[in-house]
Amino acid sequence: MAKRSYCYTIRTLYGLAKSEEIGLTDELLHLLVQRETGKTSIRAMTPSEIARVCWVLQKQKDDVKRRNGVLKEGGNPARQRRKICLLEADLGWCENKSRLRGLIKRMFKVDALEWLDDKQCQALIEAMKAILARQKEGEKRDS
């Protein structure tokens, strides 16, 4: 099955441009669109051009957040990642990495461990501990 990519819309474009972090006026937004696509009208842009402009705006928004200390570089600390890897090994998921990715996707609606923040990593660790405890409980009952 083909992976379905996110479809950016003009509404998304305006939402990013008017966000608290960027706060572009209509005039500045149109100048940005003209710089990126060469078109003067936002309605005349193709979906790929809208996606490119949204990508530029998201990058600007992330840069502002990073400067303000809201968005941390590198994501989660190495200590939490190490704990997740140890729990993954205890659960026997080392051979099948899709199990961990599936759990992350189900819990947090993201595709990669690297995209989780500190609180999400801690929640993942606790969930993995609970799964491990249930697994050990089931083994005791079977014995």
Side-chain angles (χ1 to χ4, degrees):
M1 184 161 71
K3 184 178 177 184
R4 189 172 171 207
S5 62
Y6 183 77
C7 184
Y8 291 99
T9 62
I10 292 174
R11 180 178 281 181
T12 309
L13 182 74
Y14 274 103
L16 283 169
K18 302 293 180 177
S19 68
E20 185 180 308
E21 293 84 3
I22 301 174
L24 291 180
T25 62
D26 287 338
E27 184 179 335
L28 289 174
L29 176 60
H30 281 83
L31 288 173
L32 176 72
V33 166
Q34 188 172 11
R35 184 188 76 193
E36 292 297 320
T37 64
K39 294 183 179 176
T40 55
S41 171
I42 291 176
R43 292 240 176 238
M45 292 189 329
T46 63
S48 63
E49 290 171 335
I50 292 173
R52 185 173 59 220
V53 174
C54 284
W55 181 81
V56 169
L57 288 170
Q58 186 64 51
K59 191 167 168 46
Q60 288 177 358
K61 185 176 177 178
D62 289 346
D63 288 344
V64 169
K65 283 183 174 182
R66 201 169 284 119
R67 265 187 260 126
N68 294 340
V70 176
L71 190 67
K72 295 180 183 175
E73 285 288 339
N76 47 7
R79 203 175 199 176
Q80 286 179 321
R81 277 199 183 155
R82 214 175 6 241
K83 180 67 175 175
I84 290 169
C85 288
L86 289 172
L87 286 168
E88 187 179 18
D90 289 345
L91 288 166
W93 292 358
C94 290
E95 298 82 32
N96 191 1
K97 297 288 183 184
S98 65
R99 304 263 327 248
L100 179 63
R101 282 195 307 266
L103 179 64
I104 291 170
K105 182 119 178 153
R106 189 177 73 218
M107 286 180 70
F108 306 109
K109 310 292 188 259
V110 296
D111 293 323
L113 173 65
E114 293 78 22
W115 296 349
L116 300 180
D117 62 16
D118 295 340
K119 288 181 182 177
Q120 290 172 328
C121 279
Q122 189 59 41
L124 178 65
I125 289 170
E126 294 304 318
M128 290 175 78
K129 283 181 185 177
I131 292 170
L132 184 62
R134 281 194 305 269
Q135 211 176 54
K136 286 182 180 178
E137 228 175 77
E139 288 173 4
K140 284 181 186 177
R141 264 190 258 141
D142 292 341
S143 299

